[in-house]
Amino acid sequence: DGGITQSPKYLFRKEGQNVTLSCEQNLNHDAMYWYRQDPGQGLRLIYYSQIVNDFQKGDIAEGYSVSREKKESFPLTVTSAQKNPTAFYLCASSILAIRTGNEKLFFGSGTQLSVL
Amino acid sequence: EDKVVQSPLSLVVHEGDTVTLNCSYEVTNFRSLLWYKQEKKAPTFLFMLTSSGIEKKSGRLSSILDKKELFSILNITATQTGDSAVYLCAVAETGANNLFFGTGTRLTVIP
């Protein structure tokens, strides 16, 4: 059963702490994305990766970092530099990068991050 | 400025009603418009539209695109409580590696 798995479902961060959100896919997709969803706002792109060992900043990358060491995995670290991290985080993937005409995204079930 | 605007922001209807959700957009090099349904967590794909005037249909859901007037509508007929969700509209631009998302329309169907 192919899909995208995000963990944990809920995460709490203390002041000054870095936390890492997991995203794993078994769809054999090359491209992966991290979006942030806030109430009353559209999904905003944090980072994306077109291929293994490559990633680019999206519209709101400040205070976040990512890695793409394996095709299946694209973890997101929310650093202490992100001053307003409380949000719902969605990971997505597509067969190839959106700019190649592969704009159909498949989403995980998300992680709700809250600040203690 | 908002590139994708959805209306209404929220909607409450009774089972059996028909609803129309709207999505207008303003992008330079339009390639496609996508609709997603977000019930609790994961958005799930509904439709992708690239050509004007061609209706896409799946059961009680249908959608159409007007590239001249820069909007799309999503119709749901004979609504059921299971249609309650946030419906997201997104637009892809040629050459861009991102989708522009609207804020979504929250639909609530009451028995």
Side-chain angles (χ1 to χ4, degrees):
Chain A
D1 216 9
I4 300 179
T5 302
Q6 289 188 242
S7 63
K9 291 190 186 320
Y10 302 95
L11 188 57
F12 296 92
R13 193 192 89 166
K14 294 180 184 177
E15 289 287 338
Q17 187 182 38
N18 292 353
V19 292
T20 297
L21 284 60
S22 171
C23 177
E24 303 277 332
Q25 55 102 355
N26 60 5
L27 299 168
N28 201 32
H29 286 175
D30 278 345
M32 297 185 75
Y33 311 83
W34 275 104
Y35 285 93
R36 172 176 170 146
Q37 188 174 32
D38 293 278
Q41 296 196 43
L43 272 66
R44 292 182 290 167
L45 183 66
I46 304 172
Y47 267 97
Y48 67 94
S49 168
Q50 299 181 80
I51 202 161
V52 176
N53 293 322
D54 172 79
F55 51 83
Q56 281 85 39
K57 294 181 179 179
D59 298 324
I60 55 165
E62 187 174 347
Y64 301 96
S65 66
V66 293
S67 63
R68 187 86 187 275
E69 296 175 3
K70 297 187 300 181
K71 187 175 187 177
E72 304 80 20
S73 179
F74 191 41
L76 173 75
T77 297
V78 184
T79 74
S80 57
Q82 173 48 245
K83 298 306 179 189
N84 185 24
T86 296
F88 187 60
Y89 291 85
L90 282 164
C91 179
S93 70
S94 58
I95 295 172
L96 295 171
I98 292 173
R99 65 175 174 78
T100 66
N102 287 269
E103 53 262 54
K104 182 178 174 181
L105 300 184
F106 296 80
F107 286 89
S109 295
T111 293
Q112 176 64 51
L113 176 62
S114 302
V115 176
L116 287 177
Chain B
E1 72 288 354
D2 290 337
K3 294 191 176 221
V4 180
V5 178
Q6 293 187 246
S7 63
L9 291 180
S10 66
L11 192 55
V12 180
V13 300
H14 288 95
E15 264 191 323
D17 288 350
T18 294
V19 298
T20 298
L21 309 184
N22 303 290
C23 176
S24 62
Y25 62 90
E26 188 175 336
V27 297
T28 307
N29 297 302
F30 174 88
R31 186 170 72 226
S32 64
L33 185 145
L34 300 96
W35 285 97
Y36 284 86
K37 177 182 182 182
Q38 186 176 22
E39 286 186 75
K40 288 194 190 307
K41 305 289 186 183
T44 53
F45 173 80
L46 294 175
F47 300 112
M48 183 168 80
L49 304 118
T50 56
S51 302
S52 278
I54 299 174
E55 185 183 52
K56 293 273 182 108
K57 201 169 169 64
S58 176
R60 296 176 293 102
L61 277 67
S62 64
S63 183
I64 198 160
L65 174 68
D66 186 328
K67 289 168 73 174
K68 184 179 175 186
E69 300 298 329
L70 309 183
F71 76 92
S72 173
I73 59 172
L74 175 67
N75 277 323
I76 309 175
T77 60
T79 51
Q80 301 171 357
T81 54
D83 295 324
S84 296
V86 174
Y87 290 84
L88 301 172
C89 173
V91 170
E93 266 192 308
T94 300
N97 255 335
N98 191 11
L99 298 181
F100 298 103
F101 281 87
T103 55
T105 293
R106 180 175 295 278
L107 173 66
T108 303
V109 182
I110 53 179

Coordinates of all heavy atoms in Angstrom, one line a residue, chain A residues 48-96:
Chain A
Y48 N 11.7 22.3 -0.9 CA 11.4 21.2 -1.8 C 12.6 20.5 -2.3 O 13.7 21.1 -2.2 CB 10.5 21.6 -2.9 CG 11.1 22.6 -3.9 CD1 11.8 22.1 -5.1 CD2 11.1 23.9 -3.7 CE1 12.3 23.0 -6.0 CE2 11.7 24.8 -4.6 CZ 12.3 24.3 -5.7 OH 12.8 25.2 -6.6
S49 N 12.5 19.3 -2.7 CA 13.6 18.5 -3.2 C 13.2 17.9 -4.5 O 12.2 17.1 -4.5 CB 14.1 17.5 -2.2 OG 15.0 16.6 -2.7
Q50 N 14.0 18.1 -5.6 CA 13.6 17.5 -6.9 C 14.2 16.1 -7.0 O 13.8 15.3 -7.8 CB 14.2 18.4 -8.0 CG 13.5 19.8 -8.0 CD 14.0 20.6 -9.1 OE1 13.6 20.5 -10.2 NE2 15.0 21.5 -8.9
I51 N 15.3 15.9 -6.2 CA 16.0 14.6 -6.4 C 16.9 14.4 -5.1 O 17.1 15.4 -4.4 CB 16.8 14.6 -7.7 CG1 17.1 13.2 -8.1 CG2 18.1 15.5 -7.5 CD1 17.5 13.1 -9.6
V52 N 17.3 13.2 -5.0 CA 18.2 12.9 -3.8 C 19.4 13.8 -3.8 O 20.0 14.1 -4.8 CB 18.6 11.4 -3.8 CG1 19.6 11.1 -2.7 CG2 17.4 10.5 -3.7
N53 N 19.8 14.2 -2.5 CA 20.9 15.1 -2.3 C 20.8 16.5 -2.9 O 21.8 17.2 -3.0 CB 22.2 14.4 -2.8 CG 22.6 13.2 -2.1 OD1 22.5 13.1 -0.8 ND2 23.1 12.2 -2.8
D54 N 19.6 16.9 -3.2 CA 19.3 18.2 -3.7 C 18.1 18.8 -3.0 O 17.1 18.0 -2.8 CB 19.1 18.2 -5.2 CG 18.6 19.5 -5.7 OD1 19.5 20.4 -5.9 OD2 17.4 19.7 -5.9
F55 N 18.1 20.0 -2.6 CA 16.9 20.7 -2.1 C 17.0 22.2 -2.3 O 18.1 22.7 -2.3 CB 16.6 20.3 -0.6 CG 17.8 20.5 0.3 CD1 18.1 21.7 0.9 CD2 18.6 19.4 0.7 CE1 19.1 21.9 1.7 CE2 19.6 19.6 1.5 CZ 19.9 20.8 2.1
Q56 N 15.9 22.8 -2.3 CA 15.8 24.3 -2.5 C 14.9 24.9 -1.5 O 13.9 24.3 -1.1 CB 15.4 24.7 -3.9 CG 16.4 24.6 -5.0 CD 16.5 23.2 -5.5 OE1 15.5 22.5 -5.7 NE2 17.8 22.7 -5.8
K57 N 15.1 26.2 -1.2 CA 14.2 26.9 -0.3 C 13.0 27.3 -1.0 O 13.0 27.6 -2.2 CB 14.9 28.2 0.2 CG 16.1 28.0 1.1 CD 16.7 29.3 1.5 CE 17.9 29.1 2.4 NZ 18.5 30.3 2.9
G58 N 11.9 27.2 -0.2 CA 10.6 27.7 -0.7 C 10.4 29.1 -0.3 O 11.3 29.9 0.0
D59 N 9.1 29.5 -0.1 CA 8.8 30.9 0.2 C 9.0 31.3 1.7 O 9.2 32.4 2.0 CB 7.3 31.1 -0.1 CG 7.0 30.9 -1.6 OD1 7.8 31.3 -2.4 OD2 5.9 30.4 -1.9
I60 N 9.0 30.3 2.6 CA 9.2 30.6 4.0 C 10.2 29.7 4.7 O 9.9 29.1 5.7 CB 7.8 30.5 4.7 CG1 7.2 29.1 4.5 CG2 6.8 31.6 4.2 CD1 6.0 28.8 5.4
A61 N 11.4 29.6 4.1 CA 12.4 28.7 4.6 C 13.1 29.1 5.9 O 13.8 28.3 6.6 CB 13.4 28.4 3.5
E62 N 13.0 30.4 6.3 CA 13.8 30.8 7.4 C 13.4 30.1 8.7 O 12.2 30.0 9.0 CB 13.6 32.3 7.6 CG 14.5 32.9 8.7 CD 14.4 34.4 8.8 OE1 13.8 35.0 7.8 OE2 14.9 35.0 9.8
G63 N 14.4 29.6 9.4 CA 14.1 28.9 10.7 C 13.9 27.4 10.5 O 13.6 26.7 11.4
Y64 N 14.0 26.9 9.3 CA 13.8 25.5 8.9 C 15.0 24.9 8.2 O 15.8 25.7 7.6 CB 12.6 25.3 8.0 CG 11.3 25.8 8.6 CD1 10.8 27.0 8.2 CD2 10.5 25.0 9.4 CE1 9.6 27.4 8.7 CE2 9.3 25.4 9.9 CZ 8.8 26.6 9.6 OH 7.6 27.1 10.1
S65 N 15.2 23.6 8.3 CA 16.3 23.0 7.5 C 15.8 21.6 7.1 O 14.9 21.0 7.8 CB 17.6 22.9 8.3 OG 17.5 22.0 9.4
V66 N 16.3 21.1 6.1 CA 15.9 19.8 5.6 C 17.2 19.0 5.1 O 18.3 19.6 5.0 CB 15.0 19.9 4.4 CG1 13.6 20.5 4.8 CG2 15.6 20.7 3.2
S67 N 17.0 17.7 4.8 CA 18.0 16.9 4.2 C 17.3 15.9 3.3 O 16.1 15.6 3.5 CB 18.9 16.2 5.3 OG 18.0 15.3 6.0
R68 N 18.0 15.4 2.3 CA 17.5 14.4 1.4 C 18.6 13.4 1.0 O 19.1 13.4 -0.1 CB 16.9 15.1 0.1 CG 16.2 14.1 -0.8 CD 14.7 13.9 -0.5 NE 14.1 12.9 -1.2 CZ 13.5 13.1 -2.4 NH1 13.7 14.2 -3.1 NH2 12.9 12.1 -3.0
E69 N 18.9 12.6 2.0 CA 19.9 11.6 1.8 C 19.4 10.3 1.2 O 20.2 9.6 0.6 CB 20.6 11.3 3.2 CG 21.2 12.5 3.8 CD 21.8 12.2 5.2 OE1 21.7 11.1 5.7 OE2 22.3 13.2 5.8
K70 N 18.2 10.1 1.3 CA 17.5 8.9 0.6 C 16.3 9.4 -0.1 O 15.7 10.3 0.2 CB 17.1 7.9 1.7 CG 18.2 7.3 2.5 CD 17.7 6.2 3.4 CE 16.7 6.7 4.4 NZ 16.2 5.6 5.3
K71 N 16.0 8.6 -1.2 CA 14.9 9.0 -2.0 C 13.6 9.0 -1.2 O 12.7 9.8 -1.4 CB 14.8 8.0 -3.2 CG 13.7 8.4 -4.2 CD 13.8 7.4 -5.4 CE 12.9 7.9 -6.5 NZ 13.0 7.0 -7.7
E72 N 13.5 8.0 -0.3 CA 12.2 7.8 0.5 C 12.0 8.8 1.6 O 10.9 8.9 2.1 CB 12.2 6.4 1.1 CG 12.5 5.3 0.1 CD 13.9 5.1 -0.3 OE1 14.8 5.5 0.5 OE2 14.2 4.5 -1.3
S73 N 13.0 9.5 2.0 CA 12.9 10.3 3.2 C 13.3 11.8 3.0 O 14.3 12.1 2.4 CB 13.9 9.7 4.2 OG 13.9 10.4 5.5
F74 N 12.5 12.6 3.7 CA 12.7 14.1 3.6 C 12.4 14.7 4.9 O 11.3 15.4 5.0 CB 11.9 14.6 2.4 CG 12.2 16.1 2.0 CD1 13.5 16.5 1.9 CD2 11.1 16.9 1.7 CE1 13.7 17.8 1.5 CE2 11.4 18.2 1.3 CZ 12.7 18.7 1.2
P75 N 13.2 14.6 5.9 CA 12.9 15.1 7.2 C 13.0 16.7 7.3 O 13.9 17.2 6.6 CB 13.9 14.5 8.1 CG 15.1 14.1 7.2 CD 14.5 13.8 5.9
L76 N 12.2 17.3 8.1 CA 12.2 18.7 8.3 C 12.6 19.0 9.7 O 11.9 18.5 10.6 CB 10.8 19.3 8.0 CG 10.6 20.8 8.3 CD1 11.3 21.6 7.2 CD2 9.1 21.1 8.3
T77 N 13.6 19.9 9.9 CA 13.9 20.3 11.3 C 13.4 21.7 11.5 O 13.8 22.6 10.6 CB 15.4 20.2 11.5 OG1 15.8 18.8 11.4 CG2 15.8 20.7 12.9
V78 N 12.7 21.9 12.5 CA 12.2 23.3 12.9 C 13.2 23.8 14.0 O 13.3 23.2 15.1 CB 10.8 23.2 13.5 CG1 10.3 24.6 13.8 CG2 9.9 22.5 12.5
T79 N 14.0 24.8 13.6 CA 15.0 25.2 14.6 C 14.5 26.3 15.5 O 13.4 26.8 15.3 CB 16.2 25.8 13.8 OG1 15.9 27.1 13.3 CG2 16.6 24.8 12.6
S80 N 15.3 26.6 16.5 CA 15.0 27.6 17.5 C 14.9 29.0 16.8 O 14.3 29.9 17.4 CB 16.0 27.6 18.6 OG 17.3 27.8 18.1
A81 N 15.4 29.1 15.6 CA 15.3 30.4 14.9 C 13.9 30.7 14.4 O 13.6 31.8 14.0 CB 16.3 30.4 13.8
Q82 N 13.1 29.7 14.3 CA 11.7 29.8 13.9 C 10.9 30.3 15.0 O 10.6 29.5 15.9 CB 11.2 28.5 13.3 CG 9.7 28.5 12.9 CD 9.3 29.7 12.1 OE1 8.5 30.5 12.5 NE2 9.8 29.8 10.9
K83 N 10.5 31.5 15.1 CA 9.9 32.1 16.2 C 8.4 31.8 16.4 O 7.9 32.0 17.4 CB 10.1 33.6 16.2 CG 11.6 34.0 16.3 CD 12.3 33.4 17.5 CE 13.8 33.8 17.5 NZ 14.5 33.0 18.5
N84 N 7.8 31.4 15.3 CA 6.4 31.1 15.4 C 6.1 29.8 14.7 O 5.5 29.7 13.6 CB 5.6 32.2 14.6 CG 4.1 32.1 14.8 OD1 3.6 31.4 15.7 ND2 3.4 32.6 13.8
P85 N 6.5 28.7 15.3 CA 6.5 27.4 14.7 C 5.1 26.7 14.8 O 4.9 25.7 14.1 CB 7.5 26.6 15.4 CG 7.5 27.2 16.8 CD 7.2 28.6 16.6
T86 N 4.2 27.2 15.6 CA 3.0 26.5 15.8 C 2.2 26.5 14.5 O 1.8 27.6 14.0 CB 2.1 27.2 16.9 OG1 2.8 27.0 18.1 CG2 0.8 26.5 17.0
A87 N 2.0 25.3 13.9 CA 1.3 25.2 12.7 C 1.1 23.7 12.4 O 1.6 22.9 13.1 CB 2.1 25.9 11.5
F88 N 0.3 23.5 11.3 CA 0.2 22.1 10.8 C 1.1 21.9 9.6 O 1.1 22.8 8.7 CB -1.3 21.9 10.4 CG -1.7 20.5 10.0 CD1 -1.5 19.5 10.9 CD2 -2.1 20.2 8.7 CE1 -1.9 18.2 10.6 CE2 -2.5 18.9 8.4 CZ -2.4 17.9 9.3
Y89 N 1.9 20.9 9.6 CA 3.0 20.7 8.6 C 2.6 19.5 7.7 O 2.4 18.4 8.2 CB 4.3 20.5 9.2 CG 4.9 21.7 9.9 CD1 4.5 22.1 11.2 CD2 5.7 22.6 9.2 CE1 4.9 23.2 11.8 CE2 6.2 23.8 9.8 CZ 5.8 24.1 11.1 OH 6.2 25.2 11.7
L90 N 2.6 19.7 6.4 CA 2.2 18.7 5.5 C 3.4 18.4 4.6 O 4.1 19.3 4.0 CB 1.1 19.2 4.6 CG -0.3 19.1 5.2 CD1 -1.3 19.9 4.4 CD2 -0.8 17.6 5.3
C91 N 3.7 17.1 4.4 CA 4.7 16.7 3.5 C 4.0 16.1 2.2 O 2.9 15.6 2.3 CB 5.5 15.6 4.1 SG 6.8 14.9 3.1
A92 N 4.6 16.4 1.1 CA 4.0 15.9 -0.2 C 5.1 15.4 -1.1 O 6.2 15.6 -0.9 CB 3.2 17.0 -0.8
S93 N 4.6 14.6 -2.1 CA 5.6 14.2 -3.1 C 4.9 14.2 -4.5 O 3.7 14.2 -4.6 CB 6.0 12.7 -2.8 OG 5.0 11.8 -3.0
S94 N 5.7 14.2 -5.5 CA 5.2 14.0 -6.9 C 6.2 13.2 -7.7 O 7.4 13.1 -7.3 CB 5.0 15.4 -7.5 OG 6.2 16.2 -7.6
I95 N 5.8 12.6 -8.8 CA 6.6 11.7 -9.5 C 7.9 12.4 -9.9 O 9.0 11.9 -9.7 CB 5.9 11.3 -10.8 CG1 4.7 10.4 -10.4 CG2 6.8 10.4 -11.7 CD1 3.8 10.1 -11.6
L96 N 7.8 13.6 -10.5 CA 9.0 14.4 -10.8 C 8.6 15.8 -10.3 O 7.6 16.1 -9.8 CB 9.2 14.4 -12.3 CG 9.7 13.1 -12.9 CD1 9.7 13.2 -14.4 CD2 11.0 12.7 -12.4

